[in-house]
Amino acid sequence: MRSLFRTMVGLGLVAMLAGPAAAQQGRGFGRGGGGNLATLAANTGVQKELKLDDQQVEKAKDLAEKTREKMQQTRESLQGLDQEERRAKQQEISREMNTSSLKALGEFLKPEQIARLKQISYQQRGVSAFNDPEIAKKLNLTDTQKSEIQTIAQESMEGARGLFSQDQSPEEREAAMKKINELRKAALSKAETKLNDEQQKTWKELLGAPFEYKPDPRPNN
């Protein structure tokens, strides 16, 4: 049981360092490739930002539910892997799921809605966004930059280890989450300093206007 808890905490740290959306979406499934587009589209605030109509809202909710089921299935496949294997597998699965989600979303969202959704997703991913091959290509990241940013992400993960334990009180978990958010912001700021002026300009364009993500209440809350 404790081994399973450590595995879930490890996966959850990846999710939480990628942002509140990723943590809520995966419930412990790491977002090496970033916040899933389908689950983001099911968030009430995101839906308002995208100006989805009633039919689009229902389709987004249905797609998100199917995505969550897939996440649960893949979560089991990550148990027993060592840290490096798990991270690589998380990134691979996340990319595959985002590709699948983007194709499904394209069937009922308008191009401008897709574009804004991707901007919000980039904002939510934090430093893990730079692992996305599409972003790396658009920014024209060098191998050196990729390596430096990956090191920053790993250092952030190491700093987060030990913040959560099985017997924590709600107050202790809240304090741990606050620390996680601080680590997340610091890691992203540090990674952005590795970009040159042209890359930083492109990065800002990819992010678009700032969006304040707020998780929807859990059904049982």
Side-chain angles (χ1 to χ4, degrees):
M1 180 63 71
R2 287 188 176 275
S3 176
L4 176 59
F5 175 79
R6 286 194 295 270
T7 298
M8 295 307 293
V9 167
L11 298 180
L13 288 177
V14 179
M16 287 181 282
L17 285 168
Q24 184 196 35
Q25 291 163 188
R27 290 194 180 187
F29 179 77
R31 321 250 20 106
N36 185 270
L37 294 170
T39 318
L40 263 181
N43 176 265
T44 302
V46 174
Q47 291 173 349
K48 290 180 179 179
E49 176 71 11
L50 300 182
K51 297 181 175 60
L52 301 191
D53 59 33
D54 292 342
Q55 188 176 38
Q56 288 175 316
V57 167
E58 288 305 313
K59 290 183 178 180
K61 288 181 179 179
D62 181 60
L63 178 60
E65 183 58 36
K66 292 178 180 177
T67 300
R68 277 191 288 269
E69 292 174 359
K70 290 181 181 178
M71 286 179 178
Q72 280 195 313
Q73 294 171 3
T74 56
R75 190 183 297 138
E76 297 175 1
S77 70
L78 298 176
Q79 296 182 30
L81 300 179
D82 63 34
Q83 181 179 337
E84 186 58 30
E85 288 178 324
R86 188 166 60 240
R87 184 184 66 81
K89 189 65 175 177
Q90 287 168 343
Q91 291 180 353
E92 177 187 347
I93 293 173
S94 293
R95 285 194 291 267
E96 291 175 354
M97 293 184 73
N98 252 340
T99 298
S100 176
S101 294
L102 184 59
K103 181 179 180 180
L105 288 164
E107 295 178 0
F108 62 89
L109 293 186
K110 300 175 183 178
E112 60 269 27
Q113 291 173 322
I114 290 287
R116 181 54 176 157
L117 181 61
K118 292 175 78 171
Q119 290 178 339
I120 294 173
S121 175
Y122 297 154
Q123 292 180 32
Q124 288 302 307
R125 295 183 198 184
V127 68
S128 69
F130 297 108
N131 286 329
D132 188 320
E134 181 182 0
I135 292 179
K137 183 177 180 179
K138 289 182 177 180
L139 293 178
N140 195 25
L141 295 179
T142 66
D143 289 340
T144 297
Q145 287 175 312
K146 292 177 183 178
S147 177
E148 291 175 339
I149 292 174
Q150 184 60 49
T151 297
I152 292 171
Q154 291 175 339
E155 289 175 347
S156 184
M157 276 289 296
E158 290 301 319
R161 294 189 187 283
L163 290 177
F164 289 92
S165 69
Q166 198 168 17
D167 304 316
Q168 280 180 321
S169 67
E171 291 76 16
E172 290 172 328
R173 286 184 180 275
E174 184 178 352
M177 277 302 304
K178 182 178 180 181
K179 181 62 176 178
I180 287 285
N181 287 331
E182 292 173 355
L183 287 169
R184 175 179 180 266
K185 291 178 181 178
L188 178 58
S189 295
K190 191 173 181 180
E192 288 174 338
T193 66
K194 301 300 179 180
L195 306 179
N196 60 37
D197 291 345
E198 187 63 30
Q199 289 171 326
Q200 291 197 27
K201 179 181 177 182
T202 301
W203 175 235
K204 289 181 179 179
E205 292 172 351
L206 288 171
L207 294 178
F211 175 79
E212 183 180 357
Y213 177 89
K214 294 182 180 180
D216 287 327
R218 294 288 175 86
N220 294 329
N221 286 355

